[in-house]
Amino acid sequence: MRRTALLVSAALLTGLLPLASAGAATGAEEPPPVPVDRFEGEVPFASQPAEGIFTWGGDSDDPPKLELAARDDAPEGDKVLSGTYDISGYGGFTHDFAANEPGHDWSAHKGIRFWWDGKNTGKKVNFEIKDGGSNGEASELWTTSFTDEWAGWHQVEIPFTDFAYRTDYQPVGGIDQNLGLTEMWGYALTLPTGTPGTFAMDGVELYGKADPALTTKVLTGAAVYPVKEGGTARVPISVATTGSAPLAEPVTVAYESAGGSAGAGTDYTPVKGEFTFPAGTASGAAHTVSVPTLKDKAAESAETIPLKLTVTGAKAPAETPQVVIDAHGLPYLDTRLPVKRRVADLLSRMSLDEKAGQMTQAERNAVGTGGDIAAYDLGSLLSGGGSTPTPNTAAAWAKMIDGFQLRAQATRFQIPLIYGVDAVHGHNNLVGATVLPHNIGIGATRDPGTAEKAGAVTAAEVRATGIPWDFAPCLCVSRDERWGRSYESFGEDPALVKQMETVVQGLQGARSGKDLDRNDKVLATAKHFVGDGGTEYGSSTTGSYTIDQGVTKVTRQELEAVHLAPFQEAVDRGIGTVMPSYSSLDIIGDDEGPVKMHADAAMINGVLKDRMGFDGFVISDWQAIDQLPGDYASDVRTSVNAGLDMIMVPSAYKDFRTTLIDEVKAGRIGERRIDDAVSRILTQKFKLGLFEKPYADTSGAAAIGSAGHRSVARTAAAESQVLLKNAGGVLPLKKSQKVYVAGSNADDIGNQTGGWTVTWQGSSGKITDGTTVLEGMKKAAPGATISYSKDASAPTDGYDVGVVVVGETPYAEGIGDVGNGNDLELTAADRAAVDKVCGAMKCAVLIVSGRPQLIGDRLGDIDALVASWLPGTEGDGVADVLYGAKPFTGQLPVTWPKSQAQLPINVGDTAYDPQFPFGWGLTTLRTPPGGGTLTLKALALAAAAAQKAGSAEAGRAVVGKARLLVQQKVGQDITPAVAKPFADADHLLLSGRYADAVAKLTEAYRAA
């Protein structure tokens, strides 16, 4: 049957206007329904920035198939939106309003309703609306659900009061967690998973008169008000209206101090009263309630005083505000005591529930406004990649984290949170931060000093936003460039990775941990323990990944020499935390088969903690224990008994904590294991000074993205550039030359910074502040003629030289695995740009990428070739070496293959025939020495002397001269007989064996 008659023509005409005025409802009259979607074709299948309906899903099979279908039984009009779905992960559809028009005002209405053609499946369908923000894909999500439990058409009515702030995901990290309804951007439905289905929907509209509680609310300044014993807490209570209009009706607030752990009359003076905000009161007006506390001489834990509020005429605060009398006089609060004694004292007072909370880490979005922090005694929060406050500013980060820390003050012992982020190449989640080269570029610098400075810049910018913990550095030894995390590695040689671990001191300061309480240092994390860089291609069972999170199959000798060595170095440097890998370890000959690292007690307890002497704490990776075999209780039991101290359970923190407690009570996890884990966590919190200063010290915020920090990043970018070929001395460029610039990565800050930049996967385009390569070139040669044509479609006549900047677009983790929609080939557009420019003039090709790209078929047509890696926000650094302000000094941190079929290919392989060997890198710093073999003999003697004297500086200088001599003779004729000893020489150099390195270089020289 049709429902068109329910919509009178006047209402229909009004409703089809894009905005429904909040003032449309006056007095007791109920406003007419306002159509949102009639599905008659007035809203197309389209996406942002245009208005439209579009589908989405977890993979290519998950988005539903939609059509506007004519049906005789359509409840409204002639057509309905119908669809089919078969979803394994997640999938659904969205109607976004146009982003170039104002958001819609829904505040006059009670809720949203629509017709649903039920199949009586008993399955839930999630329905969400989009509130505030700049557009539908940058809004705040509010969600509810309905259950398909009828057959045929049924009108589903959802009042706006049923919607809850979505805690598992927010596209821009959330906005204000207030359903304002004045700037709405559409809705979305998430369809059921597991079985195929069909659906039909019609007549989405707004209905009813707005609930006054949605337009007027009473707020408190905070949920928690700490006060020192004997002080007076002051709780501001304010009134706010949608659109900031004056109150239409009076609002009365009655208050009373009642309940809590503090004693009325002994710990505080009870308060009780009532006040009224009269009609006409301005939105934002406030009244303060004072709660005096009483002082005694006893040492006590924190005590709470809830201030119960009863509101008439408005929506009451979501939570009862609590006054908290600070803990005082207890030994763990005494800064004069050694950390070990403070930890022991605090641990002795804690309950099992409190200890379990300390071992639990939740994601910020999952805890919403943070009430669960005290309710579950949570010890830690994190921001996943791209999980940021709105606006994404340093001040907003500090405010957000301070708000969470305030919640922890309502716990019995006021144990502060430790907040962590993945700041893997600078404070990369923060727009405007200094973004440094990814680790593969830092490895190319061969400069431990640069690595340490990079860590120091990262630490200073991260700590200035209130974050004391960084999930970095990655100490993986990348053995296969098909891995989507290749760029997170310093290189393929453990000796190189160890050399770059000066980054730990940059992040943490002194090895003893004495600097951790500084406002420019953070707790660092060595990851991923152990062997994640050695996973075999095709061994991953995670989704469509091909290598990430797979199996590392090695001999025990290879495990020790390649993958474990960097972690011993990190432990020796005082690393504070270690994160196990998602991957599995299969040690050849032990007959155990692959063991998930999060379950590997022999490696975590036995090797890391016992043999290596690691005294920090072990933090799991994101939901990693869910990948262990068995049920959830088994996952918890196995991982904790294997040595994990804190578990990253982004949204499952309640289940994890409950399960952990149950497992301990059942005797399947020992209390000594729990006490060890909590002691390790508390030790780092005390070292960080969080008990004394839990809140953000923003005094260093002015340095975020500063000229000084960007100078460090600029130098790192310059040092990371590896000159692979330079026929005819094309580089450095001359400022007098007319330069033709082309390529997809010449003028794209997003591509230049790569994954883990602002969002988890990163993205192309202007995503943060910085200088592109093209902009850097124009600044380096301000008077020069520099023309840019991205696709090289502009005429090429009249130029002296071309610079083509090509490579990859951003990705992170297994999303970037080769075979998961990726390969190591340049795109067709990039190949065309290289061919056109290099066919028309002398050219230099820069490859901006997280790993080597296959360029051999074009190498003969390219005069100069540069591996630029992912240089970060400072394209000026790339321009510095292009124009000779700084010399090319970088060396390959990984072997550059000739073909994908060669992979994996690494220094030390028996068969070794790369395009460019490990350690290759021409320089414009100095000319190679003359003298051939006679000079090499002299250098061999000097290298032996340096090695005997233990002089690393002299040894590196001698080997560097020999390397230049070999590269000059070899040119581009890099045969296996040359490549293998050349690469072996670089490994020997990194290992401090200078005389052996020169001997290998002499072998390469003779083979050339």
Side-chain angles (χ1 to χ4, degrees):
M1 66 180 189
R2 298 187 181 275
R3 198 175 52 89
T4 310
L6 294 177
L7 296 175
V8 298
S9 58
L12 180 59
L13 289 171
T14 301
L16 290 176
L17 295 174
L19 302 181
S21 170
T26 58
E29 294 180 4
E30 194 165 286
V34 174
V36 176
D37 262 334
R38 299 182 63 224
F39 302 119
E40 299 298 305
E42 76 282 5
V43 178
F45 291 111
S47 58
Q48 287 289 313
E51 179 169 12
I53 300 167
F54 61 93
T55 61
W56 38 265
D59 58 37
S60 59
D61 297 327
D62 283 349
K65 307 295 187 295
L66 303 182
E67 66 172 332
L68 298 177
R71 279 181 53 163
D72 291 339
D73 65 344
E76 196 285 319
D78 297 316
K79 296 178 181 179
V80 302
L81 178 70
S82 67
T84 61
Y85 59 89
D86 185 3
I87 303 168
S88 58
Y90 64 91
F93 63 92
T94 291
H95 175 186
D96 269 1
F97 301 146
N100 57 358
E101 296 179 9
H104 295 205
D105 188 343
W106 291 359
S107 62
H109 294 272
K110 180 179 181 179
I112 190 167
R113 65 189 180 193
F114 49 88
W115 290 87
W116 187 264
D117 187 13
K119 307 299 180 185
N120 204 19
T121 63
K123 291 182 176 289
K124 284 188 175 181
V125 180
N126 290 327
F127 188 94
E128 69 187 21
I129 54 178
K130 304 185 170 200
D131 178 56
S134 57
N135 59 65
E137 298 307 288
S139 58
E140 191 168 75
L141 305 182
W142 291 73
T143 187
T144 187
S145 66
F146 65 92
T147 303
D148 184 344
E149 53 189 3
W150 62 86
W153 289 108
H154 174 79
Q155 191 173 43
V156 180
E157 289 193 344
I158 307 175
F160 291 130
T161 50
D162 283 1
F163 286 91
Y165 178 81
R166 185 170 168 181
T167 58
D168 60 332
Y169 169 72
Q170 289 290 340
V172 290
I175 299 173
D176 57 9
Q177 299 186 21
N178 175 42
L179 183 56
L181 295 172
T182 57
E183 290 183 300
M184 304 301 293
W185 296 100
Y187 64 88
L189 282 86
T190 303
L191 297 167
T193 61
T195 57
T198 63
F199 74 92
M201 182 181 187
D202 201 13
V204 184
E205 66 181 16
L206 309 177
Y207 75 96
K209 183 182 178 182
D211 185 334
L214 281 175
T215 58
T216 306
K217 60 187 66 180
V218 168
L219 306 169
T220 58
V224 179
Y225 292 87
V227 61
K228 293 188 181 300
E229 186 187 49
T232 297
R234 292 176 174 80
V235 181
I237 300 170
S238 61
V239 65
T241 62
T242 299
S244 299
L247 291 185
E249 299 176 6
V251 173
T252 300
V253 180
Y255 60 89
E256 180 180 8
S257 56
S261 58
T266 56
D267 293 314
Y268 70 97
T269 301
V271 297
K272 183 176 182 179
E274 181 180 286
F275 59 89
T276 298
F277 294 105
T281 298
S283 178
H287 180 92
T288 299
V289 174
S290 296
V291 182
T293 68
L294 304 174
K295 193 167 187 175
D296 59 32
K297 296 182 179 180
E300 296 173 300
S301 58
E303 298 171 305
T304 57
I305 310 166
L307 188 63
K308 182 181 178 182
L309 302 179
T310 304
V311 177
T312 304
K315 185 177 182 179
E319 296 180 68
T320 296
Q322 290 189 87
V323 172
V324 178
I325 304 173
D326 288 337
H328 54 278
L330 300 173
Y332 77 88
L333 296 170
D334 189 347
T335 59
R336 297 168 298 180
L337 296 178
V339 166
K340 190 172 183 179
R341 282 189 59 187
R342 296 177 73 184
V343 169
D345 176 71
L346 178 52
L347 188 70
S348 71
R349 301 174 186 277
M350 295 171 67
S351 68
L352 175 59
D353 286 9
E354 288 166 328
K355 292 174 184 177
Q358 285 301 301
M359 295 174 66
T360 307
Q361 183 183 66
E363 214 280 337
R364 58 173 283 273
N365 271 318
V367 299
T369 57
D372 280 353
I373 291 170
Y376 294 90
D377 297 294
L378 297 181
S380 180
L381 293 182
L382 83 151
S383 278
S387 179
T388 65
T390 301
N392 188 355
T393 62
W397 276 94
K399 181 180 178 182
M400 174 186 74
I401 294 167
D402 281 356
F404 291 137
Q405 286 288 16
L406 182 63
R407 295 290 193 158
Q409 296 300 300
T411 59
R412 191 161 61 122
F413 298 113
Q414 298 181 306
I415 302 173
L417 295 166
I418 180 169
Y419 199 102
V421 295
D422 287 276
V424 298
H425 61 143
H427 195 354
N428 42 257
N429 286 297
L430 172 64
V431 171
T434 306
V435 178
L436 294 119
H438 269 294
N439 282 358
I440 195 166
I442 299 296
T445 71
R446 290 298 201 281
D447 187 344
T450 290
E452 184 169 354
K453 290 175 184 176
V457 166
T458 299
E461 298 200 2
V462 168
R463 195 69 183 255
T465 56
I467 301 167
W469 185 13
D470 184 5
F471 304 133
C474 184
L475 302 182
C476 51
V477 182
S478 177
R479 306 292 284 178
D480 191 331
E481 279 63 61
R482 290 172 291 189
W483 188 33
R485 302 190 84 136
S486 292
Y487 62 76
E488 294 188 45
S489 173
F490 290 115
E492 70 186 35
D493 187 337
L496 174 57
V497 175
K498 288 171 64 178
Q499 193 174 92
M500 294 298 108
E501 288 187 54
T502 49
V503 67
V504 174
Q505 266 55 67
L507 292 165
Q508 290 194 170
R511 298 179 187 221
S512 66
K514 70 179 181 64
D515 296 330
L516 284 172
D517 62 351
R518 284 172 35 176
N519 69 351
D520 63 347
K521 294 298 173 190
V522 294
L523 194 68
T525 307
K527 63 182 188 184
H528 301 92
F529 187 82
V530 58
D532 56 334
T535 49
E536 289 189 347
Y537 188 80
S539 66
S540 181
T541 57
T542 300
S544 56
Y545 294 6
T546 58
I547 186 168
D548 189 31
Q549 304 185 19
V551 179
T552 298
K553 192 171 185 178
V554 289
T555 64
R556 189 164 292 278
Q557 181 182 9
E558 185 181 356
L559 173 66
E560 294 284 347
V562 176
H563 300 291
L564 277 171
F567 287 92
Q568 182 65 70
E569 176 74 14
V571 171
D572 293 344
R573 287 181 174 275
I575 197 79
T577 62
V578 170
M579 180 183 290
S581 175
Y582 282 114
S583 58
S584 302
L585 184 61
D586 186 358
I587 302 176
I588 298 169
D590 70 358
D591 298 324
E592 291 187 18
V595 179
K596 278 283 188 182
M597 278 310 310
H598 280 72
D600 200 330
M603 295 305 301
I604 298 172
N605 283 329
V607 174
L608 177 65
K609 290 183 174 180
D610 294 343
R611 194 189 84 190
M612 291 184 176
F614 173 63
D615 60 3
F617 69 88
V618 178
I619 170 71
S620 87
D621 210 332
W622 179 281
Q623 292 180 327
I625 68 167
D626 295 351
Q627 295 187 7
L628 302 184
D631 59 18
Y632 194 64
S634 173
D635 296 345
V636 172
R637 177 172 65 250
T638 300
S639 59
V640 172
N641 283 334
L644 270 70
D645 302 308
M646 182 184 287
I647 313 295
M648 190 186 294
V649 278
S651 58
Y653 57 91
K654 297 177 186 177
D655 290 342
F656 168 75
R657 182 175 174 273
T658 299
T659 304
L660 178 60
I661 292 167
D662 290 345
E663 289 296 296
V664 175
K665 289 180 176 178
R668 290 184 287 267
I669 299 176
E671 291 191 31
R672 287 183 62 185
R673 171 76 272 270
I674 299 299
D675 286 353
D676 172 61
V678 177
S679 294
R680 289 168 177 270
I681 294 164
L682 294 177
T683 296
Q684 299 303 329
K685 289 186 176 184
F686 278 117
K687 285 184 176 181
L688 285 163
L690 295 177
F691 281 83
E692 291 71 49
K693 296 181 180 180
Y695 304 115
D697 180 348
T698 59
S699 59
I704 295 173
S706 65
H709 285 183
R710 290 185 183 276
S711 176
V712 172
R714 179 174 181 168
T715 297
E719 291 182 356
S720 73
Q721 302 301 293
V722 180
L723 184 59
L724 299 172
K725 178 181 180 181
N726 195 25
V730 169
L731 295 177
L733 302 171
K734 301 177 181 61
K735 294 182 181 180
S736 60
Q737 290 176 310
K738 296 179 69 174
V739 184
Y740 186 102
V741 181
S744 60
N745 288 349
D747 195 31
D748 193 307
I749 199 79
N751 290 354
Q752 189 175 298
T753 50
W756 287 109
T757 308
V758 182
T759 59
W760 173 40
Q761 290 294 315
S763 59
S764 300
K766 176 66 175 173
I767 61 171
T768 191
D769 301 331
T771 304
T772 67
V773 173
L774 176 65
E775 290 167 342
M777 291 176 66
K778 290 181 176 180
K779 289 166 64 178
T785 299
I786 300 175
S787 300
Y788 173 58
S789 175
K790 181 176 180 178
D791 60 359
S793 60
T796 56
D797 297 337
Y799 292 91
D800 300 311
V801 63
V803 174
V804 191
V805 189
V806 295
E808 296 184 307
T809 53
Y811 55 81
E813 300 188 34
I815 302 295
D817 282 355
V818 166
N820 189 19
N822 309 285
D823 55 37
L824 299 181
E825 300 280 355
L826 298 179
T827 65
D830 277 350
R831 293 197 300 270
V834 170
D835 291 346
K836 183 172 181 180
V837 176
C838 293
M841 66 192 81
K842 290 182 179 180
C843 73
V845 173
L846 278 61
I847 299 181
V848 172
S849 64
R851 53 196 168 191
Q853 303 291 283
L854 303 176
I855 198 74
D857 58 341
R858 284 171 168 76
L859 194 55
D861 300 321
I862 296 170
D863 298 292
L865 180 64
V866 179
S868 288
W869 310 114
L870 298 169
T873 51
E874 308 313 299
D876 286 330
V878 180
D880 283 340
V881 292
L882 287 179
Y883 275 97
K886 293 181 179 177
F888 279 96
T889 56
Q891 294 175 244
L892 284 181
V894 294
T895 299
W896 198 285
K898 287 181 175 178
S899 70
Q900 199 163 290
Q902 285 185 314
L903 298 174
I905 182 171
N906 294 288
V907 57
D909 289 353
T910 303
Y912 191 72
D913 183 21
Q915 192 80 65
F916 298 101
F918 176 78
W920 188 265
L922 308 177
T923 185
T924 53
L925 176 63
R926 54 186 176 268
T927 57
T933 55
L934 290 175
T935 299
L936 285 170
K937 287 180 180 179
L939 291 173
L941 293 173
Q947 187 169 323
K948 185 176 181 180
S951 175
E953 184 176 353
R956 287 195 297 267
V958 170
V959 176
K961 290 178 181 179
R963 190 172 64 86
L964 293 179
L965 189 61
V966 173
Q967 286 185 151
Q968 182 186 49
K969 183 181 181 186
V970 170
Q972 291 298 299
D973 188 20
I974 304 173
T975 64
V978 168
K980 181 169 176 52
F982 186 94
D984 290 344
D986 202 51
H987 168 73
L988 293 165
L989 166 64
L990 292 164
S991 305
R993 296 167 60 185
Y994 311 121
D996 293 337
V998 173
K1000 283 291 182 182
L1001 287 169
T1002 301
E1003 180 183 337
Y1005 185 87
R1006 288 172 176 159

